[in-house]
Amino acid sequence: MGAGHAHVLHQERDTPVHRLPPEVKVVAMVVFTLAVVATPREAFWAFGGYALLVVAVAALARVGARWLLLRTTIELPFVLFAFVLPFLGAGERVELAGLSLSVDGLYGGWNILAKGTLGVLASLLLAATTTSRDLILGLDRLRCPQVLTQIASFMLRYLEVLVGEARRMRVARLSRGDDPRFLWQLRGFAAGVGALFLRAFERGERVYLAMLSRGYAGRMPAVWQGAGAADAGQWAVAAVVPVLAVGIAAAALVLT
């Protein structure tokens, strides 16, 4: 339990973006995403501006384009839905390459694709430049409810333990001739999931009792919030991208 925990998406770098406190990066990402969502879908130029901001931050943080593109595949189901919309949409239609496509469906598909991709890229940049522990710390400094931050903190801390437990249970099943590929063995798989839940619940009870015995009173120590909190200068630096994004969104709303 004393070993460090791997951060799947975090990239260890020494860049100005990495050095920013987590709370300012969280706020910047949220404001940027809200600006993107608020932009009219017809303002194509605005999405180009957002893309330039994402590229600038990625270059400053030294996060590679290949790394980002590989991980944007998480939005693949939404991309497929966006490509289907032009065929399913109603209203005015247009001929393109011999296909009859809905104009409203084309706009809707573009809207999902552009906004979804920009949101995923912004989230990936946040994850690449901030460790999981720092993300939770940033949320705590932003006065996110302590119940949520503590649950997230314990989930990250014990996730590897539960994954290891599930792996050992699977090996034990396989060594006894069980093969989860067969449909009729779903009952054994369900029983294993139930056993894993019970073990996780019992482990959580033991951890909670151990915390109570060490003086836990419903809140984490305040000392872990204060050190390294953002100052006015760091807030100003982090505000550059969201302010530009809000300006683009406002211009798009006025001009469209």
Side-chain angles (χ1 to χ4, degrees), residues 141-158:
R141 289 174 179 168
L142 293 171
R143 300 296 186 267
C144 184
Q146 278 254 330
V147 173
L148 297 181
T149 56
Q150 289 181 46
I151 290 174
S153 178
F154 291 131
M155 180 190 71
L156 290 173
R157 180 174 294 275
Y158 290 101

Side-chain angles (χ1 to χ4, degrees), residues 5 9 97 132 139 205 207 222 231:
H5 299 276
L9 296 176
S132 302
L139 292 173
E205 284 291 314
V207 170
D231 55 30

Side-chain angles (χ1 to χ4, degrees), residues 104-216:
D104 189 60
L106 285 170
Y107 275 119
W110 157 254
N111 191 52
I112 293 173
L113 184 61
K115 295 181 179 180
T117 302
L118 288 168
V120 169
L121 289 173
S123 301
L124 286 172
L125 285 174
L126 176 64
T129 58
T130 317
T131 64
S132 302
R133 186 261 181 192
D134 285 342
L135 280 174
I136 297 173
L137 176 60
L139 292 173
D140 203 54
R141 289 174 179 168
L142 293 171
R143 300 296 186 267
C144 184
Q146 278 254 330
V147 173
L148 297 181
T149 56
Q150 289 181 46
I151 290 174
S153 178
F154 291 131
M155 180 190 71
L156 290 173
R157 180 174 294 275
Y158 290 101
L159 183 61
E160 295 177 18
V161 177
L162 294 179
V163 170
E165 190 79 20
R167 188 179 297 113
R168 289 190 293 273
M169 292 174 63
R170 181 177 181 274
V171 171
R173 287 171 50 209
L174 293 176
S175 67
R176 289 166 173 81
D178 184 63
D179 192 341
R181 291 176 298 178
F182 294 118
L183 185 62
W184 55 81
Q185 292 180 327
L186 285 177
R187 180 179 179 183
F189 174 77
V193 172
L196 181 62
F197 172 78
L198 291 176
R199 291 187 185 185
F201 182 81
E202 292 171 354
R203 186 186 297 271
E205 284 291 314
R206 292 196 299 270
V207 170
Y208 180 67
L209 292 175
M211 292 172 62
L212 289 179
S213 68
R214 289 164 174 80
Y216 177 71

